[in-house]
Structures are given as structure tokens and as C-alpha cells.
Amino acid sequence: MKKNNYKDYAAMSRAAADIVVATVKAKPNAVLGLPTGSTPIGMYAELVKDYKAGKVDFSEVTTFNLDEYIGLDTKHEQSYRRFMQEQLFDHINIKPSNTHIPSGTAKDLNKAAKEFEDLLKKSGGVDLFVLGIGTNGHIGFNEPAASMPAYTHVVGLAEETIKVNADKFFAGDMKAVPKTAVSMGLATIMKANKIILLSNGESKNDAIAKIDSQVLTLDCPATVLHMHRDVTLLIS
Ligand code: PGA
């Protein structure tokens, strides 16, 4: 595992965008794994700038997002589909049909999760996965637990995650935050060829310290990344 420290959020966001652009240049039909949350917003803004400057072409790129809240319509202002449209997809030349986000509104959520996992497999797998990390060490919505499903699944959000997301995105209203989500599993994520994890700010220090300790524990799901051969942490 490699670790790169950046002087500030802008520098980390630029570095992350450079890695995405290099991946797409090397393989125009690359498959990208993508996160939502506050951390990747700067990277998405840089990618939009690069696209508008003619530095990158997303016309053959396919994307798979990590997760989605259950019960929020795709148009809801906090749905991860809407987030991705607003931060990235609406501003670049990616084909809408090539953008995949787990369904949080399907009648049969388990069936939809399985179909999502199958589609990802059929795509040939993720070339580059960009991850964020929760204050509790979650990646996607793989929350600390004794055990968890390996692949895309329905999951309950940890109390800490509900609180953090309420403060950041739901004006502090914990009741408004969905309590369940659909998330890729750790095994889904670990199948990617290459992984970068973005971490910004002191609130993530504990989780990063657990990764640094090189002890594998599902109490901090991100520690499993040590088992992958090409992971870089980008820290600001
Ligand atoms: P954040 O969320 O980017 O808003 O800090 C990351 C996460 O919870 O995975």
C-alpha cells in the first residue's frame, strides 16, 4: 500500500483527477468505480474542467458507483444518482447508459443488487476504483461489523454514519437520513485492478491510523485494503 500526503484538499483532488485521467487515456473504455460524499467533490470538479479543456474523453467509459440510499427517488436531492449527475455526469460526455448506481427503489432490492453485481462482472471488472472513507473506517456502506456480505447487498447504516451524514447533508436532521442502503461488498471492491482512497481532514485520522497499524479487522473495514496489491491512499 502506498500513501501520498498533499498540502491541501485542492492538491489531493487534482492528484486524484490526474490518476483518473491517466487511466482513461491508457484505456478509453475503462471501467471506473466511483464514490459519493463530500470528499470526491473536488476531484469531480477537476475532471469536469479537464473534460471541458479537451484533455479527456469519457465517451467509452463505464462507471459503477459504490452505493445508494434505499427509499430515495433518483431525483431526490440527497440521492447518490442525483449527486453523480450534478457533480460529474451532466457535465461530461459519458453515455448515460454506461453509468450504473445500485437501485435504492427497486421492488426487489436483493434481486436488483444481484443484477448490479452481475452487470459489473460482465463489464470485465473495475480498472480503477476511487474510494472515500467514513470516520468509522467504512468503505461504501460496509460498516464495522463482525461479519458482512461479500458482494452487493442491502445494509443498515451505522449510528455514526447517520449522524455524520445528517450533519453534512441533511441539515442535522438524523430522522431524514435513510437508515438503509445498497452497497457493494468488500469483495466487490477488492476485485478492482487498482484502488485509490481519498481522505480529507482530521475526522478521518482514527480510521487512517487503523489502516497504518497494518492490522486487519472488520471493526475498520478499510483495513482489508492491505490485502490488495495496488492501493494508494491520498491524504490531505
Ligand atoms: P465524506 O464521506 O466524503 O463525506 O467524508 C465518505 C464516506 O462516508 O465514505
Side-chain angles (χ1 to χ4, degrees):
M1 178 181 284
K2 284 184 270 180
K3 188 174 174 185
N4 297 337
N5 290 295
Y6 296 92
K7 69 173 184 343
D8 56 22
Y9 176 69
M12 181 193 72
S13 300
R14 186 58 248 166
D18 284 342
I19 294 168
V20 173
V21 169
T23 301
V24 173
K25 282 199 161 149
K27 186 176 177 189
N29 64 345
V31 177
L32 303 176
L34 297 176
T36 51
S38 56
T39 310
I41 289 175
M43 175 191 76
Y44 290 139
E46 291 299 315
L47 289 173
V48 170
K49 264 196 240 163
D50 286 352
Y51 168 69
K52 292 195 166 149
K55 292 182 186 157
V56 58
D57 173 12
F58 290 96
S59 61
E60 299 304 321
V61 168
T62 297
T63 62
F64 286 85
N65 265 76
L66 274 171
D67 46 20
E68 177 61 282
Y69 288 123
I70 289 176
L72 298 191
D73 183 81
T74 54
K75 297 274 183 303
H76 188 285
E77 51 168 19
Q78 293 305 338
S79 83
Y80 287 165
R81 164 55 75 180
R82 178 151 164 196
F83 175 99
M84 289 307 301
Q85 293 301 137
E86 289 181 349
Q87 300 299 328
L88 184 67
F89 300 152
D90 286 348
H91 313 290
I92 61 174
N93 66 337
I94 196 162
K95 291 189 188 96
S97 58
N98 282 357
T99 67
H100 306 287
I101 299 184
S103 172
T105 52
K107 261 212 189 97
D108 186 338
L109 289 163
N110 293 314
K111 183 163 163 263
K114 167 92 174 54
E115 285 165 2
F116 180 85
E117 187 78 31
D118 290 346
L119 193 63
L120 175 49
K121 204 169 174 184
K122 265 216 310 238
S123 78
V126 170
D127 294 292
L128 171 69
F129 218 127
V130 183
L131 296 174
I133 184 168
T135 53
N136 63 0
H138 74 198
I139 48 180
F141 278 125
N142 294 287
E143 306 283 19
S147 66
M148 58 192 69
Y151 299 102
T152 305
H153 60 286
V154 172
V155 64
L157 271 53
E159 196 67 16
E160 181 172 335
T161 299
I162 294 167
K163 171 94 182 67
V164 168
N165 287 4
D167 289 345
K168 269 194 201 164
F169 302 109
F170 290 83
D173 182 4
M174 285 178 69
K175 283 201 221 75
V177 183
K179 307 298 180 289
T180 51
V182 178
S183 177
M184 288 189 193
L186 293 176
T188 321
I189 296 166
M190 293 283 283
K191 284 186 179 179
N193 282 337
K194 179 182 175 72
I195 297 175
I196 61 174
L197 182 146
L198 278 47
S199 174
N200 173 57
E202 286 179 4
S203 67
K204 309 290 172 70
N205 284 357
D206 283 356
I208 297 298
K210 285 184 184 147
I211 297 176
D212 285 343
S213 74
Q214 303 188 357
V215 174
L216 298 178
T217 171
L218 288 179
D219 284 340
C220 178
T223 60
V224 306
L225 295 174
H226 280 292
M227 297 179 74
H228 192 282
R229 79 179 111 69
D230 190 353
V231 176
T232 305
L233 309 183
L234 280 66
I235 313 269
S236 65

